[in-house]
Amino acid sequence: MRQNKLINKKLLLSSLIGAIVLGTLGCGSKTETVRVAIGTQDTTINCATGGLLIRELNLLPKYLPKDGKYKHVKYDIQWKNFTSGAPLTSEMVAGRLDLGAMADFPAVNNLAAFKKAGKESIFLAPLSGSINGSGNAIVVPIESKVTSLKELKGQTISVPFASTAHGLLLRAIQAEGWQLDKDIKVIAQAPEVAGPALKSHKIAAHADFVPFGELFAYQGFAKKIYDGSQAKSPTFHGSLASKDYAQQHPEVIKAYLQATIEANRLIREQPEKYSEFIAEKTGIPAEVVYLFHGPLGLQTRDLTWKPEYRKATQIAIDTLKVLGKNDGTLDVNKFIDDQYIKDAFQASGLNYSQQLADYAKSPLVANDALTGQPIKTFDRVTQIWVKGEEKVRSYETPENAFSDLKKIQADGKTVRVVYSQDHQSDIKLLANLAWYATDKAGQIQAFLLKDDAEKWAKQQGGKVYDFKAIQLVTQS
């Protein structure tokens, strides 16, 4: 009897141990949900490789970890689109988003907002930008006689407040020696409001970020009279994350940045295809997208922390302090955390240090569409995008391009857009809004600003022409 009781106790103990073991295993295999909530700015096309392309091409799931502590994880990937950085920041601070993409100025506002809430955000990596500042722009109505910023004294300029374009405008005003509300009036206006205001001449000028300076010009109701490159102050858009989230899920952050790297590679390899793709999703014309993202583009897609981009972030901190938007205690070195992008580079088989030292624009590898010879010099490259053709035609010189343009038109083909390279700053231009100057030998150079064209022509003993006139000169 005692033996039976002893056996029953052993059986009961074994059952209990088995239940505990099974329960433990059951808990270990229980599916956990990890949220990946990302805020994008689709129409701010500089953010495309950190948002729109990753989402629409479904790149993120390819890189999300599926082993180790993530073996039994289910990912809840959420996307939310915004037209500017401020509401995106509000969602991040509220804990409804884990990552986001925005420009340098809004990013610093993001840092300040997190700090105010007793939290921290980190700047993961740049996406696209310019060490010289191109991308931000000031435009005037197309009929305006204004051709330079200095002619706007006493007028009203609108700008999206707290944007990177706002920072550019404030620096440009300071460089002119003007005082706000005395020499110039600046009002807050989003691009969707500024467009109609320019058309109806309710404002003298509008300053804005990517891609609206070029978009309004392309749409034919405005012209660019000031490019950010004139300020010689770096600007960029980049990706941010909640610091708590990044520390909890560093593997997820790395996966997101690997997806960014792939999106960047795709648009570099097939700029026309993905310019059309972005246009389809955003309504921003492919011709404007290519202006930024195509070879020799207006801005450079660069995922490494160039010293100039660190400087841009510090400039944003300093400017916002002057505006009373932060208390001056923000630390750019704690905000920028380059370890995540370095890990993503390594995981993607790329050399971060090598890319960090590379300042080149997206390269143009093409034969001259008129001569058939490889293009070897790029300072006077001119490009023509013909309707119905998948690839943009490239030419080593404006002379070759305008000669071929005559034939294209004679064949009854429609030209979507012509691009030129600015001789002064080497930025990509919409050729129909550029100015052209010749030297004594008749060689042509393109310029954004009429003043620059006139100065160069005077030095070279040449003349200045608009787009229509220069075609007559080269085709005569």
Side-chain angles (χ1 to χ4, degrees):
M1 194 75 170
R2 285 172 79 188
Q3 189 175 2
N4 288 338
K5 285 183 179 180
L6 188 60
I7 291 172
N8 288 336
K9 284 183 179 180
K10 286 182 178 180
L11 287 172
L12 179 61
L13 183 60
S14 296
S15 298
L16 286 172
I17 292 172
I20 292 169
V21 170
L22 287 172
T24 303
L25 290 172
C27 289
S29 62
K30 185 179 179 181
T31 301
E32 177 192 356
T33 299
V34 172
R35 188 188 73 178
V36 190
I38 305 169
T40 70
Q41 293 189 66
D42 287 0
T43 54
T44 305
I45 56 175
N46 262 13
C47 299
T49 55
L52 184 151
L53 288 177
I54 296 176
R55 181 188 70 226
E56 296 298 326
L57 300 176
N58 203 30
L59 299 180
L60 185 56
K62 291 174 59 176
Y63 298 101
L64 287 171
K66 302 173 182 65
D67 54 11
K69 70 177 183 179
Y70 295 95
K71 186 174 182 180
H72 300 289
V73 158
K74 176 184 177 183
Y75 290 103
D76 177 20
I77 302 175
Q78 302 175 14
W79 295 93
K80 191 168 184 179
N81 183 36
F82 300 84
T83 57
S84 64
L88 197 164
T89 285
S90 296
E91 291 289 281
M92 287 185 70
V93 173
R96 290 187 284 269
L97 290 173
D98 308 309
L99 298 104
M102 61 189 72
D104 40 25
F105 266 71
V108 170
N109 278 326
N110 182 287
L111 170 64
F114 264 80
K115 183 179 179 182
K116 187 176 180 180
K119 305 176 183 180
E120 288 185 74
S121 61
I122 54 174
F123 220 157
L124 297 171
L127 291 169
S128 186
S130 168
I131 61 170
N132 293 320
S134 63
N136 296 312
I138 301 173
V139 298
V140 297
I142 192 70
E143 305 89 354
S144 174
K145 294 182 179 180
V146 171
T147 60
S148 65
L149 179 64
K150 62 185 177 184
E151 298 171 54
L152 289 172
K153 187 174 183 179
Q155 302 294 314
T156 297
I157 303 177
S158 72
V159 65
F161 269 32
S163 70
T164 183
H166 192 190
L168 164 78
L169 180 59
L170 292 174
R171 291 193 296 273
I173 288 171
Q174 186 179 38
E176 291 292 333
W178 296 344
Q179 292 182 29
L180 285 173
D181 297 323
K182 179 181 178 182
D183 300 307
I184 194 81
K185 184 177 181 181
V186 176
I187 62 172
Q189 219 168 45
E192 57 267 27
V193 178
L198 285 166
K199 291 179 183 178
S200 59
H201 294 263
K202 290 182 179 178
I203 52 175
H206 176 68
D208 220 324
F209 48 82
V210 177
F212 295 100
E214 282 66 30
L215 175 62
F216 291 167
Y218 176 78
Q219 290 174 331
F221 62 81
K223 59 184 178 182
K224 185 163 68 168
I225 55 98
Y226 189 93
D227 183 82
S229 60
Q230 292 170 246
K232 304 296 181 187
S233 184
T235 184
F236 70 102
H237 288 73
S239 297
L240 299 89
S242 159
K243 186 173 182 178
D244 286 345
Y245 183 89
Q247 289 179 339
Q248 186 178 0
H249 299 294
E251 301 89 349
V252 173
I253 299 296
K254 182 174 73 174
Y256 164 75
L257 292 173
Q258 284 183 271
T260 296
I261 290 169
E262 181 175 355
N264 191 62
R265 176 182 61 79
L266 290 172
I267 198 170
R268 184 181 183 124
E269 292 175 353
Q270 301 181 77
E272 292 94 345
K273 174 182 176 180
Y274 288 105
S275 291
E276 297 279 20
F277 186 84
I278 293 170
E280 178 187 339
K281 302 299 179 182
T282 65
I284 305 297
E287 296 87 345
V288 175
V289 179
Y290 187 89
L291 181 65
F292 285 90
H293 288 303
L296 310 179
L298 195 61
Q299 290 197 329
T300 302
R301 291 183 317 283
D302 187 350
L303 309 183
T304 61
W305 278 107
K306 299 284 192 287
E308 290 84 355
Y309 292 151
R310 291 178 180 271
K311 178 183 176 182
T313 309
Q314 185 61 56
I315 289 172
I317 289 174
D318 295 341
T319 304
L320 289 168
K321 180 183 177 183
V322 171
L323 292 174
K325 298 295 183 179
N326 75 69
D327 59 8
T329 61
L330 302 180
D331 189 344
V332 67
N333 295 312
K334 289 184 178 179
F335 184 35
I336 293 173
D337 191 336
D338 61 9
Q339 190 55 54
Y340 294 96
I341 188 62
K342 287 179 178 178
D343 290 346
F345 261 68
Q346 185 176 12
S348 300
L350 300 174
N351 187 319
Y352 182 87
S353 297
Q354 184 178 3
Q355 181 57 43
L356 182 62
D358 185 358
Y359 282 78
K361 295 182 179 182
S362 296
L364 174 66
V365 181
N367 292 338
D368 188 298
L370 182 68
T371 67
Q373 297 299 310
I375 295 175
K376 296 181 179 179
T377 60
F378 304 96
D379 57 319
R380 297 202 301 136
V381 162
T382 306
Q383 294 179 292
I384 301 174
W385 200 344
V386 179
K387 187 175 181 180
E389 295 184 2
E390 289 186 2
K391 297 291 184 180
V392 173
R393 299 188 188 191
S394 299
Y395 307 83
E396 192 158 9
T397 68
E399 293 85 354
N400 287 357
F402 295 146
S403 178
D404 207 25
L405 181 58
K406 183 179 180 180
K407 184 177 183 300
I408 291 168
Q409 293 167 335
D411 290 342
K413 296 179 179 179
T414 301
V415 173
R416 296 175 60 169
V417 65
V418 181
Y419 302 109
S420 297
Q421 294 294 129
D422 183 277
H423 179 66
Q424 196 81 2
S425 60
D426 194 34
I427 62 171
K428 206 177 193 74
L429 305 173
L430 294 170
N432 64 308
L433 297 175
W435 296 93
Y436 298 87
T438 58
D439 60 15
K440 290 179 181 178
Q443 188 179 85
I444 301 167
Q445 297 287 0
F447 296 86
L448 167 66
L449 302 177
K450 189 176 183 180
D451 282 355
D452 290 342
E454 288 175 339
K455 288 176 185 176
W456 190 85
K458 186 176 181 180
Q459 292 170 356
Q460 302 298 323
K463 296 181 179 180
V464 174
Y465 304 86
D466 63 15
F467 183 61
K468 288 184 179 179
I470 197 65
Q471 291 178 69
L472 295 175
V473 170
T474 57
Q475 296 172 3
S476 60

